[in-house]
Amino acid sequence: MQLPPFCLMLSCLQVSPDQSQFFRYTSFSLSCEDQLNGADWMLNRNTFGGGVRDCGSGWGNTASGVSCTVGTTASGACCTVGTTYPSDTGLYWCESGDGRRSNNSINITITDRPVLLKCPVLPLSEGSEVTLHCQAESISSDHTFDFQRDGLFIASSRTGEMTIRRVSKSDEGLYSCSIPEVGESVGSWLTVEEGDSLWNFPLQEESTGNGTGRNGSSSAPPAASYQVSVPRLMCHLVVGTPFLLSTILLGLIYRDRNRAARTAAQRRGSKDVVMEI
């Protein structure tokens, strides 16, 4: 399973299916992904009627480790909501026993509208491909699907899909879709990470020992990659280098002054000894 860069290096929350909008009486799973740390995670949410509660306390069914259906976890937790209701609308996040939170949180909406938009929840890397799906609650082959970004029309489709071949930062925004004479979805935010001049560090998925990956597929899964932006790294170096050099210079000056003070004190002491003789 291809994980975003921050899911490889930090703890993060994922949702399956990969969308933030759901019709009533459907289901979804949440997973705390932690590839490096051994913390025990819990799924929490904050809803309008229920307040802050962890999974199993009046909502969801808990699981842990490889039993999660969202993806592979080195250490984490999984929670499945079997039947969705409007009361499941709210903010979801992962939290460890010592109070640390996941790198991201997800706003999930259980919509009562007749149309929803399936849009990726986690950030996309520049240059990747993404397909948005517009879906009506009542299936019909006669629909025309219109897509909007930031309230402006951008495309129309007969299949309910809109594909962006190579996403860029300019594609980031609030997306929605509508079906004439049916209705319009709520908006979902599409986030795009800067990806110019990236370094890739492969991270192979661990095998289960029977020739299949943890996701049960018969073929080896593609290697995930951790991407570091070179311009951002250079920016940090340019900003941090003067502070480092000035700190070193001040340290040298302080050392030389102390050395000079000790030398002067030794000379005064030797003169006093001579005068007493």
Side-chain angles (χ1 to χ4, degrees), residues 35-64:
Q35 300 297 317
L36 298 180
N37 302 307
D40 292 327
W41 295 94
M42 298 181 298
L43 271 302
N44 286 351
R45 76 176 189 181
N46 189 357
T47 59
F48 180 74
V52 177
R53 291 186 178 183
D54 60 340
C55 181
S57 300
W59 71 276
N61 298 312
T62 59
S64 62

PDB file of all heavy atoms in Angstrom, residues 35-64:
ATOM      1  N   GLN A  35       4.699   3.723  11.661  1.00  0.00           N
ATOM      2  CA  GLN A  35       5.704   2.843  11.071  1.00  0.00           C
ATOM      3  C   GLN A  35       7.000   2.781  11.872  1.00  0.00           C
ATOM      4  O   GLN A  35       7.775   1.850  11.714  1.00  0.00           O
ATOM      5  CB  GLN A  35       6.025   3.306   9.642  1.00  0.00           C
ATOM      6  CG  GLN A  35       4.823   3.293   8.713  1.00  0.00           C
ATOM      7  CD  GLN A  35       4.260   1.894   8.509  1.00  0.00           C
ATOM      8  OE1 GLN A  35       5.012   0.946   8.330  1.00  0.00           O
ATOM      9  NE2 GLN A  35       2.956   1.769   8.546  1.00  0.00           N
ATOM     10  N   LEU A  36       7.244   3.793  12.735  1.00  0.00           N
ATOM     11  CA  LEU A  36       8.530   3.856  13.414  1.00  0.00           C
ATOM     12  C   LEU A  36       8.432   3.688  14.922  1.00  0.00           C
ATOM     13  O   LEU A  36       9.340   3.149  15.544  1.00  0.00           O
ATOM     14  CB  LEU A  36       9.223   5.203  13.109  1.00  0.00           C
ATOM     15  CG  LEU A  36       9.546   5.459  11.631  1.00  0.00           C
ATOM     16  CD1 LEU A  36      10.226   6.806  11.479  1.00  0.00           C
ATOM     17  CD2 LEU A  36      10.444   4.363  11.071  1.00  0.00           C
ATOM     18  N   ASN A  37       7.371   4.177  15.525  1.00  0.00           N
ATOM     19  CA  ASN A  37       7.264   4.171  16.982  1.00  0.00           C
ATOM     20  C   ASN A  37       6.436   2.989  17.463  1.00  0.00           C
ATOM     21  O   ASN A  37       5.599   2.462  16.755  1.00  0.00           O
ATOM     22  CB  ASN A  37       6.634   5.480  17.473  1.00  0.00           C
ATOM     23  CG  ASN A  37       7.441   6.682  17.024  1.00  0.00           C
ATOM     24  OD1 ASN A  37       8.635   6.748  17.243  1.00  0.00           O
ATOM     25  ND2 ASN A  37       6.779   7.632  16.368  1.00  0.00           N
ATOM     26  N   GLY A  38       6.648   2.627  18.718  1.00  0.00           N
ATOM     27  CA  GLY A  38       5.943   1.490  19.286  1.00  0.00           C
ATOM     28  C   GLY A  38       4.817   1.891  20.222  1.00  0.00           C
ATOM     29  O   GLY A  38       4.494   1.141  21.132  1.00  0.00           O
ATOM     30  N   ALA A  39       4.252   3.077  20.014  1.00  0.00           N
ATOM     31  CA  ALA A  39       3.217   3.557  20.928  1.00  0.00           C
ATOM     32  C   ALA A  39       1.908   2.814  20.699  1.00  0.00           C
ATOM     33  O   ALA A  39       1.635   2.303  19.620  1.00  0.00           O
ATOM     34  CB  ALA A  39       3.009   5.062  20.720  1.00  0.00           C
ATOM     35  N   ASP A  40       1.110   2.735  21.764  1.00  0.00           N
ATOM     36  CA  ASP A  40      -0.233   2.175  21.668  1.00  0.00           C
ATOM     37  C   ASP A  40      -1.198   3.310  21.380  1.00  0.00           C
ATOM     38  O   ASP A  40      -1.264   4.291  22.129  1.00  0.00           O
ATOM     39  CB  ASP A  40      -0.617   1.478  22.982  1.00  0.00           C
ATOM     40  CG  ASP A  40       0.216   0.227  23.216  1.00  0.00           C
ATOM     41  OD1 ASP A  40       0.575  -0.438  22.227  1.00  0.00           O
ATOM     42  OD2 ASP A  40       0.514  -0.066  24.386  1.00  0.00           O
ATOM     43  N   TRP A  41      -1.938   3.189  20.277  1.00  0.00           N
ATOM     44  CA  TRP A  41      -2.803   4.271  19.829  1.00  0.00           C
ATOM     45  C   TRP A  41      -4.271   3.934  20.057  1.00  0.00           C
ATOM     46  O   TRP A  41      -4.668   2.778  20.049  1.00  0.00           O
ATOM     47  CB  TRP A  41      -2.561   4.553  18.347  1.00  0.00           C
ATOM     48  CG  TRP A  41      -1.190   5.072  18.066  1.00  0.00           C
ATOM     49  CD1 TRP A  41      -0.102   4.348  17.695  1.00  0.00           C
ATOM     50  CD2 TRP A  41      -0.760   6.423  18.149  1.00  0.00           C
ATOM     51  NE1 TRP A  41       0.982   5.166  17.539  1.00  0.00           N
ATOM     52  CE2 TRP A  41       0.614   6.448  17.808  1.00  0.00           C
ATOM     53  CE3 TRP A  41      -1.392   7.633  18.472  1.00  0.00           C
ATOM     54  CZ2 TRP A  41       1.348   7.627  17.785  1.00  0.00           C
ATOM     55  CZ3 TRP A  41      -0.657   8.805  18.451  1.00  0.00           C
ATOM     56  CH2 TRP A  41       0.702   8.788  18.105  1.00  0.00           C
ATOM     57  N   MET A  42      -5.064   4.995  20.230  1.00  0.00           N
ATOM     58  CA  MET A  42      -6.507   4.888  20.330  1.00  0.00           C
ATOM     59  C   MET A  42      -7.137   5.820  19.301  1.00  0.00           C
ATOM     60  O   MET A  42      -6.580   6.874  18.988  1.00  0.00           O
ATOM     61  CB  MET A  42      -6.991   5.278  21.732  1.00  0.00           C
ATOM     62  CG  MET A  42      -6.476   4.402  22.856  1.00  0.00           C
ATOM     63  SD  MET A  42      -7.151   4.936  24.460  1.00  0.00           S
ATOM     64  CE  MET A  42      -6.499   6.598  24.563  1.00  0.00           C
ATOM     65  N   LEU A  43      -8.297   5.417  18.771  1.00  0.00           N
ATOM     66  CA  LEU A  43      -9.058   6.268  17.866  1.00  0.00           C
ATOM     67  C   LEU A  43     -10.021   7.111  18.682  1.00  0.00           C
ATOM     68  O   LEU A  43     -10.812   6.571  19.460  1.00  0.00           O
ATOM     69  CB  LEU A  43      -9.838   5.433  16.851  1.00  0.00           C
ATOM     70  CG  LEU A  43      -9.163   5.049  15.532  1.00  0.00           C
ATOM     71  CD1 LEU A  43      -8.703   6.240  14.754  1.00  0.00           C
ATOM     72  CD2 LEU A  43      -8.051   4.066  15.754  1.00  0.00           C
ATOM     73  N   ASN A  44      -9.951   8.418  18.516  1.00  0.00           N
ATOM     74  CA  ASN A  44     -10.851   9.333  19.203  1.00  0.00           C
ATOM     75  C   ASN A  44     -11.664  10.130  18.193  1.00  0.00           C
ATOM     76  O   ASN A  44     -11.271  10.277  17.031  1.00  0.00           O
ATOM     77  CB  ASN A  44     -10.082  10.312  20.096  1.00  0.00           C
ATOM     78  CG  ASN A  44      -9.546   9.663  21.349  1.00  0.00           C
ATOM     79  OD1 ASN A  44      -9.885   8.520  21.646  1.00  0.00           O
ATOM     80  ND2 ASN A  44      -8.723  10.372  22.084  1.00  0.00           N
ATOM     81  N   ARG A  45     -12.781  10.662  18.655  1.00  0.00           N
ATOM     82  CA  ARG A  45     -13.566  11.548  17.815  1.00  0.00           C
ATOM     83  C   ARG A  45     -14.276  12.583  18.684  1.00  0.00           C
ATOM     84  O   ARG A  45     -14.479  12.376  19.893  1.00  0.00           O
ATOM     85  CB  ARG A  45     -14.590  10.771  16.987  1.00  0.00           C
ATOM     86  CG  ARG A  45     -15.814  10.303  17.758  1.00  0.00           C
ATOM     87  CD  ARG A  45     -16.823   9.635  16.828  1.00  0.00           C
ATOM     88  NE  ARG A  45     -18.108   9.352  17.489  1.00  0.00           N
ATOM     89  CZ  ARG A  45     -19.135   8.763  16.910  1.00  0.00           C
ATOM     90  NH1 ARG A  45     -19.031   8.361  15.645  1.00  0.00           N
ATOM     91  NH2 ARG A  45     -20.267   8.555  17.562  1.00  0.00           N
ATOM     92  N   ASN A  46     -14.644  13.689  18.042  1.00  0.00           N
ATOM     93  CA  ASN A  46     -15.405  14.744  18.702  1.00  0.00           C
ATOM     94  C   ASN A  46     -16.603  15.066  17.818  1.00  0.00           C
ATOM     95  O   ASN A  46     -16.445  15.582  16.715  1.00  0.00           O
ATOM     96  CB  ASN A  46     -14.537  15.983  18.912  1.00  0.00           C
ATOM     97  CG  ASN A  46     -15.220  17.026  19.781  1.00  0.00           C
ATOM     98  OD1 ASN A  46     -16.371  16.854  20.191  1.00  0.00           O
ATOM     99  ND2 ASN A  46     -14.536  18.123  20.055  1.00  0.00           N
ATOM    100  N   THR A  47     -17.792  14.720  18.281  1.00  0.00           N
ATOM    101  CA  THR A  47     -19.012  14.960  17.525  1.00  0.00           C
ATOM    102  C   THR A  47     -19.895  15.948  18.271  1.00  0.00           C
ATOM    103  O   THR A  47     -19.728  16.187  19.470  1.00  0.00           O
ATOM    104  CB  THR A  47     -19.791  13.657  17.287  1.00  0.00           C
ATOM    105  OG1 THR A  47     -20.127  13.073  18.560  1.00  0.00           O
ATOM    106  CG2 THR A  47     -18.954  12.658  16.493  1.00  0.00           C
ATOM    107  N   PHE A  48     -20.851  16.518  17.543  1.00  0.00           N
ATOM    108  CA  PHE A  48     -21.699  17.563  18.113  1.00  0.00           C
ATOM    109  C   PHE A  48     -22.520  17.031  19.283  1.00  0.00           C
ATOM    110  O   PHE A  48     -22.624  17.670  20.333  1.00  0.00           O
ATOM    111  CB  PHE A  48     -22.637  18.122  17.033  1.00  0.00           C
ATOM    112  CG  PHE A  48     -23.554  19.197  17.541  1.00  0.00           C
ATOM    113  CD1 PHE A  48     -23.082  20.468  17.810  1.00  0.00           C
ATOM    114  CD2 PHE A  48     -24.897  18.929  17.764  1.00  0.00           C
ATOM    115  CE1 PHE A  48     -23.928  21.456  18.287  1.00  0.00           C
ATOM    116  CE2 PHE A  48     -25.758  19.903  18.242  1.00  0.00           C
ATOM    117  CZ  PHE A  48     -25.270  21.176  18.497  1.00  0.00           C
ATOM    118  N   GLY A  49     -23.080  15.847  19.138  1.00  0.00           N
ATOM    119  CA  GLY A  49     -23.946  15.325  20.185  1.00  0.00           C
ATOM    120  C   GLY A  49     -23.242  14.471  21.224  1.00  0.00           C
ATOM    121  O   GLY A  49     -23.689  14.377  22.367  1.00  0.00           O
ATOM    122  N   GLY A  50     -22.110  13.845  20.838  1.00  0.00           N
ATOM    123  CA  GLY A  50     -21.459  12.900  21.728  1.00  0.00           C
ATOM    124  C   GLY A  50     -20.213  13.392  22.416  1.00  0.00           C
ATOM    125  O   GLY A  50     -19.698  12.727  23.313  1.00  0.00           O
ATOM    126  N   GLY A  51     -19.690  14.560  21.997  1.00  0.00           N
ATOM    127  CA  GLY A  51     -18.461  15.064  22.588  1.00  0.00           C
ATOM    128  C   GLY A  51     -17.262  14.215  22.212  1.00  0.00           C
ATOM    129  O   GLY A  51     -17.254  13.537  21.184  1.00  0.00           O
ATOM    130  N   VAL A  52     -16.232  14.226  23.067  1.00  0.00           N
ATOM    131  CA  VAL A  52     -14.997  13.483  22.810  1.00  0.00           C
ATOM    132  C   VAL A  52     -15.119  12.082  23.408  1.00  0.00           C
ATOM    133  O   VAL A  52     -15.333  11.929  24.613  1.00  0.00           O
ATOM    134  CB  VAL A  52     -13.786  14.209  23.408  1.00  0.00           C
ATOM    135  CG1 VAL A  52     -12.511  13.382  23.195  1.00  0.00           C
ATOM    136  CG2 VAL A  52     -13.631  15.591  22.788  1.00  0.00           C
ATOM    137  N   ARG A  53     -14.964  11.072  22.545  1.00  0.00           N
ATOM    138  CA  ARG A  53     -15.022   9.672  22.988  1.00  0.00           C
ATOM    139  C   ARG A  53     -14.047   8.850  22.158  1.00  0.00           C
ATOM    140  O   ARG A  53     -13.813   9.145  20.986  1.00  0.00           O
ATOM    141  CB  ARG A  53     -16.427   9.099  22.834  1.00  0.00           C
ATOM    142  CG  ARG A  53     -17.477   9.692  23.793  1.00  0.00           C
ATOM    143  CD  ARG A  53     -18.787   8.948  23.666  1.00  0.00           C
ATOM    144  NE  ARG A  53     -19.791   9.456  24.586  1.00  0.00           N
ATOM    145  CZ  ARG A  53     -21.011   8.936  24.720  1.00  0.00           C
ATOM    146  NH1 ARG A  53     -21.364   7.887  23.993  1.00  0.00           N
ATOM    147  NH2 ARG A  53     -21.870   9.451  25.585  1.00  0.00           N
ATOM    148  N   ASP A  54     -13.506   7.800  22.784  1.00  0.00           N
ATOM    149  CA  ASP A  54     -12.634   6.895  22.045  1.00  0.00           C
ATOM    150  C   ASP A  54     -13.462   5.743  21.476  1.00  0.00           C
ATOM    151  O   ASP A  54     -14.594   5.505  21.896  1.00  0.00           O
ATOM    152  CB  ASP A  54     -11.498   6.372  22.920  1.00  0.00           C
ATOM    153  CG  ASP A  54     -11.999   5.607  24.130  1.00  0.00           C
ATOM    154  OD1 ASP A  54     -13.178   5.796  24.510  1.00  0.00           O
ATOM    155  OD2 ASP A  54     -11.232   4.822  24.697  1.00  0.00           O
ATOM    156  N   CYS A  55     -12.874   5.058  20.489  1.00  0.00           N
ATOM    157  CA  CYS A  55     -13.570   3.974  19.803  1.00  0.00           C
ATOM    158  C   CYS A  55     -13.953   2.880  20.797  1.00  0.00           C
ATOM    159  O   CYS A  55     -13.155   2.475  21.642  1.00  0.00           O
ATOM    160  CB  CYS A  55     -12.677   3.388  18.711  1.00  0.00           C
ATOM    161  SG  CYS A  55     -13.439   2.050  17.773  1.00  0.00           S
ATOM    162  N   GLY A  56     -15.177   2.408  20.692  1.00  0.00           N
ATOM    163  CA  GLY A  56     -15.679   1.403  21.609  1.00  0.00           C
ATOM    164  C   GLY A  56     -16.501   1.977  22.740  1.00  0.00           C
ATOM    165  O   GLY A  56     -17.187   1.237  23.457  1.00  0.00           O
ATOM    166  N   SER A  57     -16.420   3.302  22.924  1.00  0.00           N
ATOM    167  CA  SER A  57     -17.198   3.966  23.974  1.00  0.00           C
ATOM    168  C   SER A  57     -18.452   4.595  23.369  1.00  0.00           C
ATOM    169  O   SER A  57     -18.568   5.812  23.233  1.00  0.00           O
ATOM    170  CB  SER A  57     -16.355   5.042  24.674  1.00  0.00           C
ATOM    171  OG  SER A  57     -15.205   4.492  25.270  1.00  0.00           O
ATOM    172  N   GLY A  58     -19.348   3.733  22.944  1.00  0.00           N
ATOM    173  CA  GLY A  58     -20.589   4.222  22.358  1.00  0.00           C
ATOM    174  C   GLY A  58     -20.558   4.362  20.850  1.00  0.00           C
ATOM    175  O   GLY A  58     -21.563   4.694  20.235  1.00  0.00           O
ATOM    176  N   TRP A  59     -19.388   4.095  20.249  1.00  0.00           N
ATOM    177  CA  TRP A  59     -19.316   4.125  18.786  1.00  0.00           C
ATOM    178  C   TRP A  59     -18.173   3.206  18.333  1.00  0.00           C
ATOM    179  O   TRP A  59     -17.160   3.070  18.992  1.00  0.00           O
ATOM    180  CB  TRP A  59     -19.081   5.550  18.263  1.00  0.00           C
ATOM    181  CG  TRP A  59     -17.695   6.079  18.545  1.00  0.00           C
ATOM    182  CD1 TRP A  59     -17.264   6.665  19.700  1.00  0.00           C
ATOM    183  CD2 TRP A  59     -16.552   6.046  17.669  1.00  0.00           C
ATOM    184  NE1 TRP A  59     -15.939   6.997  19.615  1.00  0.00           N
ATOM    185  CE2 TRP A  59     -15.476   6.639  18.368  1.00  0.00           C
ATOM    186  CE3 TRP A  59     -16.338   5.573  16.369  1.00  0.00           C
ATOM    187  CZ2 TRP A  59     -14.212   6.777  17.812  1.00  0.00           C
ATOM    188  CZ3 TRP A  59     -15.077   5.713  15.807  1.00  0.00           C
ATOM    189  CH2 TRP A  59     -14.034   6.308  16.529  1.00  0.00           C
ATOM    190  N   GLY A  60     -18.344   2.576  17.176  1.00  0.00           N
ATOM    191  CA  GLY A  60     -17.285   1.807  16.536  1.00  0.00           C
ATOM    192  C   GLY A  60     -16.920   0.510  17.234  1.00  0.00           C
ATOM    193  O   GLY A  60     -17.253   0.265  18.392  1.00  0.00           O
ATOM    194  N   ASN A  61     -16.226  -0.341  16.469  1.00  0.00           N
ATOM    195  CA  ASN A  61     -15.691  -1.606  16.967  1.00  0.00           C
ATOM    196  C   ASN A  61     -14.182  -1.575  16.822  1.00  0.00           C
ATOM    197  O   ASN A  61     -13.657  -1.216  15.761  1.00  0.00           O
ATOM    198  CB  ASN A  61     -16.260  -2.794  16.193  1.00  0.00           C
ATOM    199  CG  ASN A  61     -17.760  -2.898  16.346  1.00  0.00           C
ATOM    200  OD1 ASN A  61     -18.291  -2.828  17.450  1.00  0.00           O
ATOM    201  ND2 ASN A  61     -18.468  -3.055  15.220  1.00  0.00           N
ATOM    202  N   THR A  62     -13.457  -1.933  17.864  1.00  0.00           N
ATOM    203  CA  THR A  62     -12.010  -1.817  17.869  1.00  0.00           C
ATOM    204  C   THR A  62     -11.341  -3.079  17.364  1.00  0.00           C
ATOM    205  O   THR A  62     -11.862  -4.178  17.455  1.00  0.00           O
ATOM    206  CB  THR A  62     -11.488  -1.530  19.290  1.00  0.00           C
ATOM    207  OG1 THR A  62     -11.888  -2.597  20.150  1.00  0.00           O
ATOM    208  CG2 THR A  62     -12.049  -0.219  19.811  1.00  0.00           C
ATOM    209  N   ALA A  63     -10.122  -2.882  16.810  1.00  0.00           N
ATOM    210  CA  ALA A  63      -9.224  -3.967  16.418  1.00  0.00           C
ATOM    211  C   ALA A  63      -7.824  -3.415  16.550  1.00  0.00           C
ATOM    212  O   ALA A  63      -7.629  -2.229  16.769  1.00  0.00           O
ATOM    213  CB  ALA A  63      -9.508  -4.439  14.995  1.00  0.00           C
ATOM    214  N   SER A  64      -6.817  -4.251  16.404  1.00  0.00           N
ATOM    215  CA  SER A  64      -5.440  -3.770  16.524  1.00  0.00           C
ATOM    216  C   SER A  64      -4.527  -4.546  15.599  1.00  0.00           C
ATOM    217  O   SER A  64      -4.848  -5.631  15.137  1.00  0.00           O
ATOM    218  CB  SER A  64      -4.943  -3.896  17.973  1.00  0.00           C
ATOM    219  OG  SER A  64      -4.939  -5.253  18.358  1.00  0.00           O
TER     220      SER A  64
END
